[in-house]
Amino acid sequence: MSRIYNFSPGPATLPEDLLKQAQAELLDWRGTGCSVMEMGHRTSEMIALTKEIENDLRELLTIPSHYHVLFLSAGASAQFAFIPMNLLRGKRTADYCLTGHWSQKAIYEARRYCDVNIATDSTDNLFTNIAPINEWRLNRDAAYVHYTPNETIAGLEFNYIPDTQGVPLVADMSSNILSQPLDVSKFGLIYACAQKNIGPAGMTIVIVRDDLVGQALPETPTLFDYAAQAKEGSMANTPPTLSWYFAGLMFKWLKQQGGLAAIATINQRKAAKLYAAIDQSSLYQNSVATAYRSIMNVPFVLKKPGLDEQFLQEARAAGLGYLKGHKLVGGMRASIYNSMPEAGVDALIEFMQRFEENN
Ligand code: PMP
């Protein structure tokens, strides 16, 4: 058996040592005589695990004590609805930044619950740039401002945290959470699905400031009510325990790597060399404004037509998998999350240069 370098956008590659640890623990987790998948979520072992993963996440992100940390299910897309349900707090409007496919989906869902004010819109530049914040149309009466710090499909990433003048800032960090240190205190709410930088799909993390919970719309189902989930320790029903376990392994792995500052240095280096290889070539192209190029998702096209399929096949034969771009934008996309070793990026660059020479 040989593992490939897997550039999938999500569910994404995981560190090999974590997979081996999970394999070793599968039949007997921590001396319990059973796997973590076979254990009641209210057992003392699982309650201890919950505390452990919350503490490790709090330590990694230096989450202030007046924030709840929730481990929920139903994916990041479910939060597109849960956020207005929980955060409107009697208000009728919310601001949204339209910078790509995922923010578009969040807007579509929010419109069921409130008037959406589009504060900035990158549609005209095909989601390759972000207007300066002094050109945004922010509404002082908005319940919150929602944005997507990293648009996974177009590879467009904010290089700053928007100052929303006291209106709570809500961020969909599905594809860049834990990729660099973060000042959580600048946010009202942060959410992220697990399947990119955390572990297998099935869990969504919500980090929410205390004062924003407790005023959900009356029709909000209990499971979708942040206050109810906070009260129940994210166990208002049976949680996706295997995803929780893997998140725990990942948080420990990140701490072993030296934490988020250390992983950010590696991430910057990986992305910089890949973008440099693209920019120096005459075959490959990335059209995103340089300042907003994603550190996690690097889309590129081949300027010479008719080569895409050959590129993907030869890459796969060279042990480089899942490089096909999203159907909305075509071309290629290399997702290089925390778990992608630098050697994987080096191998991709080497392959791309060889492919260019041969074609
Ligand atoms: N937001 C972003 C930025 C994403 O990249 C994704 C998944 N690719 C989602 C939301 C949706 O996540 P899920 O499939 O868990 O609902």
Side-chain angles (χ1 to χ4, degrees):
M1 189 207 75
S2 69
R3 269 173 72 75
I4 55 165
Y5 287 121
N6 171 2
F7 295 91
S8 164
T13 195
L14 292 166
E16 200 170 315
D17 29 338
L18 295 200
L19 294 172
K20 284 185 179 147
Q21 185 181 343
Q23 187 179 40
E25 292 180 339
L26 198 58
L27 297 180
D28 180 6
W29 178 61
R30 294 186 177 176
T32 55
C34 56
S35 82
V36 77
M37 290 182 285
E38 304 164 296
M39 190 171 295
H41 55 294
R42 295 189 196 284
T43 55
S44 57
E45 293 91 344
M46 278 306 294
I47 303 270
L49 176 73
T50 316
K51 281 273 154 275
E52 208 175 291
I53 61 175
E54 179 174 339
N55 289 342
D56 283 342
L57 183 64
R58 283 187 182 275
E59 190 183 321
L60 281 166
L61 280 169
T62 348
I63 302 174
S65 58
H66 61 293
Y67 282 75
H68 292 295
V69 174
L70 308 175
F71 300 107
L72 306 178
S73 34
S77 306
Q79 298 303 323
F80 298 163
F82 300 175
I83 285 159
M85 282 177 167
N86 282 274
L87 293 200
L88 281 172
R89 297 164 294 127
K91 299 205 175 209
R92 290 172 173 275
T93 71
D95 284 355
Y96 276 75
C97 303
L98 175 47
T99 55
H101 173 79
W102 291 108
S103 44
Q104 204 159 35
K105 287 209 151 194
I107 290 164
Y108 174 84
E109 206 65 18
R111 283 199 167 119
R112 299 173 191 271
Y113 305 96
C114 61
D115 293 331
V116 169
N117 170 50
I118 305 293
T120 184
D121 187 345
S122 296
T123 315
D124 285 352
N125 59 54
L126 303 175
F127 304 133
T128 59
N129 210 341
I130 300 164
I133 192 164
N134 59 7
E135 292 176 14
W136 295 12
R137 296 165 301 274
L138 289 167
N139 170 11
R140 285 200 161 276
D141 292 325
Y144 57 87
V145 180
H146 178 284
Y147 84 121
T148 311
N150 186 57
E151 286 283 359
T152 321
I153 293 176
L156 182 73
E157 184 167 12
F158 277 75
N159 61 5
Y160 67 96
I161 299 171
D163 178 0
T164 51
Q165 310 281 325
V167 178
L169 180 61
V170 175
D172 175 359
M173 290 199 188
S174 291
S175 48
N176 68 345
I177 194 165
L178 298 170
S179 62
Q180 56 185 320
L182 186 71
D183 183 354
V184 173
S185 72
K186 296 238 160 65
F187 296 87
L189 185 148
I190 293 165
Y191 65 105
C193 56
Q195 64 268 24
K196 299 162 194 303
N197 250 346
I198 297 169
M203 182 187 80
T204 302
I205 289 179
V206 173
I207 301 166
V208 58
R209 215 172 64 207
D210 288 2
D211 62 293
L212 298 176
V213 306
Q215 297 178 65
L217 299 177
E219 63 270 28
T220 306
T222 307
L223 286 183
F224 309 165
D225 182 341
Y226 298 144
Q229 287 286 11
K231 190 160 157 258
E232 298 287 338
S234 307
M235 288 194 189
N237 74 328
T238 313
T241 47
L242 185 67
S243 297
W244 288 24
Y245 159 78
F246 251 100
L249 297 186
M250 182 62 89
F251 299 157
K252 294 237 186 293
W253 181 83
L254 279 170
K255 283 167 67 175
Q256 281 159 14
Q257 308 302 302
L260 300 190
I263 208 83
T265 306
I266 302 170
N267 286 336
Q268 291 286 351
R269 205 165 57 222
K270 288 187 318 196
K273 61 168 90 165
L274 184 48
Y275 283 115
I278 292 168
D279 291 345
Q280 282 155 19
S281 92
S282 43
L283 179 61
Y284 309 109
Q285 185 177 12
N286 169 287
S287 303
V288 175
T290 316
Y292 300 122
R293 281 174 159 182
S294 171
I295 305 300
M296 296 280 102
N297 309 96
V298 182
F300 59 92
V301 293
L302 276 61
K303 288 192 263 181
K304 194 168 159 187
L307 283 179
D308 282 14
E309 215 30 62
Q310 186 190 336
F311 180 94
L312 289 166
Q313 275 178 20
E314 290 183 17
R316 190 64 177 76
L320 308 164
Y322 303 105
L323 281 160
K324 195 177 172 138
H326 192 279
K327 59 183 185 296
L328 285 174
V329 290
M332 309 297 153
R333 172 174 44 169
S335 293
I336 50 173
Y337 302 115
N338 291 345
S339 306
M340 170 56 64
E342 193 163 352
V345 176
D346 292 338
L348 173 61
I349 292 170
E350 212 182 294
F351 168 77
M352 287 167 69
Q353 288 168 344
R354 206 169 50 240
F355 186 84
E356 183 170 1
E357 275 162 31
N358 294 341
N359 292 279

PDB file of all heavy atoms in Angstrom, residues 15 28 53-54 96 115 122 125 164 177 192 200 218 229 243 250 266 269 284 294 324 327 340 343 347-348:
ATOM      1  N   PRO A  15      -2.855  13.828   8.820  1.00  0.00           N
ATOM      2  CA  PRO A  15      -1.478  13.404   9.077  1.00  0.00           C
ATOM      3  C   PRO A  15      -1.401  11.878   9.221  1.00  0.00           C
ATOM      4  O   PRO A  15      -2.227  11.283   9.929  1.00  0.00           O
ATOM      5  CB  PRO A  15      -1.117  14.100  10.392  1.00  0.00           C
ATOM      6  CG  PRO A  15      -2.060  15.253  10.495  1.00  0.00           C
ATOM      7  CD  PRO A  15      -3.326  14.791   9.839  1.00  0.00           C
ATOM      8  N   ASP A  28      -9.155  -0.943  21.091  1.00  0.00           N
ATOM      9  CA  ASP A  28      -9.081  -0.704  22.537  1.00  0.00           C
ATOM     10  C   ASP A  28      -8.592   0.730  22.760  1.00  0.00           C
ATOM     11  O   ASP A  28      -7.403   1.007  22.683  1.00  0.00           O
ATOM     12  CB  ASP A  28      -8.118  -1.722  23.184  1.00  0.00           C
ATOM     13  CG  ASP A  28      -8.012  -1.515  24.691  1.00  0.00           C
ATOM     14  OD1 ASP A  28      -8.753  -0.671  25.243  1.00  0.00           O
ATOM     15  OD2 ASP A  28      -7.184  -2.210  25.314  1.00  0.00           O
ATOM     16  N   ILE A  53     -10.729  18.038  24.490  1.00  0.00           N
ATOM     17  CA  ILE A  53     -10.674  18.687  23.167  1.00  0.00           C
ATOM     18  C   ILE A  53     -11.025  20.168  23.289  1.00  0.00           C
ATOM     19  O   ILE A  53     -10.419  21.009  22.643  1.00  0.00           O
ATOM     20  CB  ILE A  53     -11.507  17.970  22.060  1.00  0.00           C
ATOM     21  CG1 ILE A  53     -12.985  17.897  22.366  1.00  0.00           C
ATOM     22  CG2 ILE A  53     -10.967  16.605  21.758  1.00  0.00           C
ATOM     23  CD1 ILE A  53     -13.796  17.302  21.202  1.00  0.00           C
ATOM     24  N   GLU A  54     -11.964  20.480  24.172  1.00  0.00           N
ATOM     25  CA  GLU A  54     -12.294  21.903  24.343  1.00  0.00           C
ATOM     26  C   GLU A  54     -11.087  22.664  24.896  1.00  0.00           C
ATOM     27  O   GLU A  54     -10.735  23.735  24.391  1.00  0.00           O
ATOM     28  CB  GLU A  54     -13.513  22.073  25.265  1.00  0.00           C
ATOM     29  CG  GLU A  54     -13.818  23.544  25.450  1.00  0.00           C
ATOM     30  CD  GLU A  54     -15.086  23.845  26.227  1.00  0.00           C
ATOM     31  OE1 GLU A  54     -15.979  22.970  26.312  1.00  0.00           O
ATOM     32  OE2 GLU A  54     -15.180  24.972  26.744  1.00  0.00           O
ATOM     33  N   TYR A  96     -23.863  41.046   4.832  1.00  0.00           N
ATOM     34  CA  TYR A  96     -23.100  39.903   4.303  1.00  0.00           C
ATOM     35  C   TYR A  96     -22.099  40.390   3.260  1.00  0.00           C
ATOM     36  O   TYR A  96     -22.431  41.236   2.427  1.00  0.00           O
ATOM     37  CB  TYR A  96     -24.047  38.865   3.667  1.00  0.00           C
ATOM     38  CG  TYR A  96     -24.636  37.909   4.688  1.00  0.00           C
ATOM     39  CD1 TYR A  96     -25.648  38.330   5.550  1.00  0.00           C
ATOM     40  CD2 TYR A  96     -24.167  36.600   4.799  1.00  0.00           C
ATOM     41  CE1 TYR A  96     -26.182  37.460   6.503  1.00  0.00           C
ATOM     42  CE2 TYR A  96     -24.697  35.719   5.743  1.00  0.00           C
ATOM     43  CZ  TYR A  96     -25.697  36.158   6.597  1.00  0.00           C
ATOM     44  OH  TYR A  96     -26.214  35.296   7.532  1.00  0.00           O
ATOM     45  N   ASP A 115     -33.590  40.478   6.248  1.00  0.00           N
ATOM     46  CA  ASP A 115     -33.167  41.261   5.077  1.00  0.00           C
ATOM     47  C   ASP A 115     -31.649  41.228   5.043  1.00  0.00           C
ATOM     48  O   ASP A 115     -31.003  41.588   6.035  1.00  0.00           O
ATOM     49  CB  ASP A 115     -33.624  42.719   5.210  1.00  0.00           C
ATOM     50  CG  ASP A 115     -35.136  42.822   5.139  1.00  0.00           C
ATOM     51  OD1 ASP A 115     -35.759  41.969   4.468  1.00  0.00           O
ATOM     52  OD2 ASP A 115     -35.689  43.731   5.791  1.00  0.00           O
ATOM     53  N   SER A 122     -18.057  40.852  -4.737  1.00  0.00           N
ATOM     54  CA  SER A 122     -16.920  40.566  -5.628  1.00  0.00           C
ATOM     55  C   SER A 122     -17.354  39.823  -6.896  1.00  0.00           C
ATOM     56  O   SER A 122     -16.515  39.274  -7.605  1.00  0.00           O
ATOM     57  CB  SER A 122     -15.867  39.716  -4.895  1.00  0.00           C
ATOM     58  OG  SER A 122     -15.319  40.400  -3.820  1.00  0.00           O
ATOM     59  N   ASN A 125     -15.671  40.873 -10.285  1.00  0.00           N
ATOM     60  CA  ASN A 125     -14.287  40.453 -10.579  1.00  0.00           C
ATOM     61  C   ASN A 125     -14.130  38.930 -10.489  1.00  0.00           C
ATOM     62  O   ASN A 125     -13.026  38.409 -10.344  1.00  0.00           O
ATOM     63  CB  ASN A 125     -13.282  41.190  -9.678  1.00  0.00           C
ATOM     64  CG  ASN A 125     -13.555  40.948  -8.197  1.00  0.00           C
ATOM     65  OD1 ASN A 125     -13.632  39.797  -7.768  1.00  0.00           O
ATOM     66  ND2 ASN A 125     -13.689  42.005  -7.404  1.00  0.00           N
ATOM     67  N   THR A 164     -15.694  46.110  12.124  1.00  0.00           N
ATOM     68  CA  THR A 164     -17.112  46.355  11.847  1.00  0.00           C
ATOM     69  C   THR A 164     -17.725  47.321  12.865  1.00  0.00           C
ATOM     70  O   THR A 164     -18.943  47.330  13.048  1.00  0.00           O
ATOM     71  CB  THR A 164     -17.879  45.016  11.810  1.00  0.00           C
ATOM     72  OG1 THR A 164     -17.561  44.276  13.001  1.00  0.00           O
ATOM     73  CG2 THR A 164     -17.493  44.199  10.609  1.00  0.00           C
ATOM     74  N   ILE A 177      -9.527  27.694   9.412  1.00  0.00           N
ATOM     75  CA  ILE A 177      -9.371  27.684  10.871  1.00  0.00           C
ATOM     76  C   ILE A 177      -8.087  26.940  11.237  1.00  0.00           C
ATOM     77  O   ILE A 177      -7.699  25.982  10.556  1.00  0.00           O
ATOM     78  CB  ILE A 177     -10.606  27.039  11.564  1.00  0.00           C
ATOM     79  CG1 ILE A 177     -10.574  27.345  13.061  1.00  0.00           C
ATOM     80  CG2 ILE A 177     -10.698  25.538  11.301  1.00  0.00           C
ATOM     81  CD1 ILE A 177     -11.880  27.094  13.786  1.00  0.00           C
ATOM     82  N   ALA A 192     -16.699  26.564  11.756  1.00  0.00           N
ATOM     83  CA  ALA A 192     -15.889  25.820  10.783  1.00  0.00           C
ATOM     84  C   ALA A 192     -16.284  24.365  10.792  1.00  0.00           C
ATOM     85  O   ALA A 192     -16.421  23.762  11.860  1.00  0.00           O
ATOM     86  CB  ALA A 192     -14.404  25.941  11.138  1.00  0.00           C
ATOM     87  N   PRO A 200     -12.163  14.137  10.181  1.00  0.00           N
ATOM     88  CA  PRO A 200     -13.196  13.658   9.256  1.00  0.00           C
ATOM     89  C   PRO A 200     -14.456  14.529   9.347  1.00  0.00           C
ATOM     90  O   PRO A 200     -14.672  15.221  10.344  1.00  0.00           O
ATOM     91  CB  PRO A 200     -13.506  12.247   9.756  1.00  0.00           C
ATOM     92  CG  PRO A 200     -12.591  11.964  10.870  1.00  0.00           C
ATOM     93  CD  PRO A 200     -11.914  13.219  11.289  1.00  0.00           C
ATOM     94  N   PRO A 218     -38.067  32.105  18.342  1.00  0.00           N
ATOM     95  CA  PRO A 218     -38.849  31.137  19.120  1.00  0.00           C
ATOM     96  C   PRO A 218     -39.005  29.781  18.422  1.00  0.00           C
ATOM     97  O   PRO A 218     -39.065  28.746  19.083  1.00  0.00           O
ATOM     98  CB  PRO A 218     -40.210  31.820  19.276  1.00  0.00           C
ATOM     99  CG  PRO A 218     -40.005  33.244  18.898  1.00  0.00           C
ATOM    100  CD  PRO A 218     -38.771  33.349  18.074  1.00  0.00           C
ATOM    101  N   GLN A 229     -27.412  24.130  23.346  1.00  0.00           N
ATOM    102  CA  GLN A 229     -26.229  23.281  23.154  1.00  0.00           C
ATOM    103  C   GLN A 229     -25.145  23.621  24.165  1.00  0.00           C
ATOM    104  O   GLN A 229     -24.452  22.728  24.671  1.00  0.00           O
ATOM    105  CB  GLN A 229     -25.690  23.422  21.717  1.00  0.00           C
ATOM    106  CG  GLN A 229     -26.555  22.743  20.659  1.00  0.00           C
ATOM    107  CD  GLN A 229     -26.439  21.211  20.667  1.00  0.00           C
ATOM    108  OE1 GLN A 229     -25.873  20.614  21.566  1.00  0.00           O
ATOM    109  NE2 GLN A 229     -27.005  20.572  19.648  1.00  0.00           N
ATOM    110  N   SER A 243     -15.789  11.893  15.163  1.00  0.00           N
ATOM    111  CA  SER A 243     -15.239  13.176  14.709  1.00  0.00           C
ATOM    112  C   SER A 243     -14.612  13.929  15.883  1.00  0.00           C
ATOM    113  O   SER A 243     -13.582  14.576  15.739  1.00  0.00           O
ATOM    114  CB  SER A 243     -16.323  14.054  14.095  1.00  0.00           C
ATOM    115  OG  SER A 243     -16.854  13.452  12.965  1.00  0.00           O
ATOM    116  N   MET A 250      -6.059  15.738  16.369  1.00  0.00           N
ATOM    117  CA  MET A 250      -5.525  16.841  15.556  1.00  0.00           C
ATOM    118  C   MET A 250      -5.042  18.000  16.432  1.00  0.00           C
ATOM    119  O   MET A 250      -3.982  18.573  16.182  1.00  0.00           O
ATOM    120  CB  MET A 250      -6.596  17.322  14.569  1.00  0.00           C
ATOM    121  CG  MET A 250      -6.135  18.422  13.655  1.00  0.00           C
ATOM    122  SD  MET A 250      -4.752  17.897  12.605  1.00  0.00           S
ATOM    123  CE  MET A 250      -5.667  17.232  11.220  1.00  0.00           C
ATOM    124  N   ILE A 266       5.010  27.393   8.304  1.00  0.00           N
ATOM    125  CA  ILE A 266       5.096  26.324   7.289  1.00  0.00           C
ATOM    126  C   ILE A 266       4.063  26.579   6.182  1.00  0.00           C
ATOM    127  O   ILE A 266       4.366  26.457   4.992  1.00  0.00           O
ATOM    128  CB  ILE A 266       4.865  24.934   7.937  1.00  0.00           C
ATOM    129  CG1 ILE A 266       5.898  24.697   9.035  1.00  0.00           C
ATOM    130  CG2 ILE A 266       4.917  23.836   6.895  1.00  0.00           C
ATOM    131  CD1 ILE A 266       5.620  23.466   9.909  1.00  0.00           C
ATOM    132  N   ARG A 269       5.161  29.262   3.838  1.00  0.00           N
ATOM    133  CA  ARG A 269       6.258  28.795   2.978  1.00  0.00           C
ATOM    134  C   ARG A 269       5.722  27.888   1.861  1.00  0.00           C
ATOM    135  O   ARG A 269       6.085  28.029   0.693  1.00  0.00           O
ATOM    136  CB  ARG A 269       7.260  28.044   3.856  1.00  0.00           C
ATOM    137  CG  ARG A 269       8.650  28.017   3.301  1.00  0.00           C
ATOM    138  CD  ARG A 269       9.675  27.594   4.327  1.00  0.00           C
ATOM    139  NE  ARG A 269       9.383  26.291   4.916  1.00  0.00           N
ATOM    140  CZ  ARG A 269       9.519  26.010   6.220  1.00  0.00           C
ATOM    141  NH1 ARG A 269       9.920  26.944   7.064  1.00  0.00           N
ATOM    142  NH2 ARG A 269       9.257  24.797   6.675  1.00  0.00           N
ATOM    143  N   TYR A 284       0.979  27.796 -16.409  1.00  0.00           N
ATOM    144  CA  TYR A 284      -0.009  27.855 -15.323  1.00  0.00           C
ATOM    145  C   TYR A 284      -0.365  29.292 -14.972  1.00  0.00           C
ATOM    146  O   TYR A 284       0.455  30.188 -15.109  1.00  0.00           O
ATOM    147  CB  TYR A 284       0.539  27.147 -14.084  1.00  0.00           C
ATOM    148  CG  TYR A 284       1.069  25.766 -14.376  1.00  0.00           C
ATOM    149  CD1 TYR A 284       2.442  25.503 -14.347  1.00  0.00           C
ATOM    150  CD2 TYR A 284       0.214  24.731 -14.724  1.00  0.00           C
ATOM    151  CE1 TYR A 284       2.938  24.246 -14.633  1.00  0.00           C
ATOM    152  CE2 TYR A 284       0.703  23.468 -15.018  1.00  0.00           C
ATOM    153  CZ  TYR A 284       2.072  23.229 -14.972  1.00  0.00           C
ATOM    154  OH  TYR A 284       2.558  21.990 -15.275  1.00  0.00           O
ATOM    155  N   SER A 294      -5.164  32.737  -1.421  1.00  0.00           N
ATOM    156  CA  SER A 294      -5.363  31.841  -0.283  1.00  0.00           C
ATOM    157  C   SER A 294      -4.099  31.059   0.042  1.00  0.00           C
ATOM    158  O   SER A 294      -3.402  30.567  -0.855  1.00  0.00           O
ATOM    159  CB  SER A 294      -6.502  30.876  -0.602  1.00  0.00           C
ATOM    160  OG  SER A 294      -6.573  29.884   0.387  1.00  0.00           O
ATOM    161  N   LYS A 324      -8.217  18.106  -9.279  1.00  0.00           N
ATOM    162  CA  LYS A 324      -9.194  18.712 -10.188  1.00  0.00           C
ATOM    163  C   LYS A 324      -9.878  19.903  -9.519  1.00  0.00           C
ATOM    164  O   LYS A 324     -10.313  19.812  -8.374  1.00  0.00           O
ATOM    165  CB  LYS A 324     -10.232  17.650 -10.571  1.00  0.00           C
ATOM    166  CG  LYS A 324     -11.059  18.043 -11.758  1.00  0.00           C
ATOM    167  CD  LYS A 324     -12.006  16.912 -12.132  1.00  0.00           C
ATOM    168  CE  LYS A 324     -12.936  17.439 -13.186  1.00  0.00           C
ATOM    169  NZ  LYS A 324     -13.196  16.529 -14.243  1.00  0.00           N
ATOM    170  N   LYS A 327     -16.036  22.393 -10.170  1.00  0.00           N
ATOM    171  CA  LYS A 327     -16.705  22.486 -11.478  1.00  0.00           C
ATOM    172  C   LYS A 327     -17.087  23.930 -11.837  1.00  0.00           C
ATOM    173  O   LYS A 327     -17.187  24.275 -13.006  1.00  0.00           O
ATOM    174  CB  LYS A 327     -17.907  21.552 -11.560  1.00  0.00           C
ATOM    175  CG  LYS A 327     -18.978  21.797 -10.523  1.00  0.00           C
ATOM    176  CD  LYS A 327     -20.084  20.757 -10.672  1.00  0.00           C
ATOM    177  CE  LYS A 327     -21.257  20.999  -9.755  1.00  0.00           C
ATOM    178  NZ  LYS A 327     -21.004  20.909  -8.314  1.00  0.00           N
ATOM    179  N   MET A 340      -1.055  18.797   4.883  1.00  0.00           N
ATOM    180  CA  MET A 340      -0.274  18.509   3.675  1.00  0.00           C
ATOM    181  C   MET A 340       1.199  18.772   3.971  1.00  0.00           C
ATOM    182  O   MET A 340       1.596  19.899   4.232  1.00  0.00           O
ATOM    183  CB  MET A 340      -0.738  19.407   2.514  1.00  0.00           C
ATOM    184  CG  MET A 340       0.152  19.369   1.265  1.00  0.00           C
ATOM    185  SD  MET A 340       0.402  17.726   0.562  1.00  0.00           S
ATOM    186  CE  MET A 340      -1.257  17.277   0.045  1.00  0.00           C
ATOM    187  N   ALA A 343       6.754  18.362   1.781  1.00  0.00           N
ATOM    188  CA  ALA A 343       7.288  17.481   0.723  1.00  0.00           C
ATOM    189  C   ALA A 343       6.235  17.246  -0.360  1.00  0.00           C
ATOM    190  O   ALA A 343       6.574  17.039  -1.531  1.00  0.00           O
ATOM    191  CB  ALA A 343       7.732  16.163   1.334  1.00  0.00           C
ATOM    192  N   ALA A 347       6.767  18.042  -4.237  1.00  0.00           N
ATOM    193  CA  ALA A 347       6.537  17.020  -5.271  1.00  0.00           C
ATOM    194  C   ALA A 347       5.604  17.563  -6.350  1.00  0.00           C
ATOM    195  O   ALA A 347       5.798  17.314  -7.550  1.00  0.00           O
ATOM    196  CB  ALA A 347       5.958  15.759  -4.635  1.00  0.00           C
ATOM    197  N   LEU A 348       4.606  18.334  -5.932  1.00  0.00           N
ATOM    198  CA  LEU A 348       3.666  18.909  -6.908  1.00  0.00           C
ATOM    199  C   LEU A 348       4.399  19.904  -7.822  1.00  0.00           C
ATOM    200  O   LEU A 348       4.225  19.871  -9.054  1.00  0.00           O
ATOM    201  CB  LEU A 348       2.510  19.596  -6.176  1.00  0.00           C
ATOM    202  CG  LEU A 348       1.533  20.379  -7.059  1.00  0.00           C
ATOM    203  CD1 LEU A 348       0.841  19.459  -8.069  1.00  0.00           C
ATOM    204  CD2 LEU A 348       0.468  21.096  -6.210  1.00  0.00           C
TER     205      LEU A 348
END
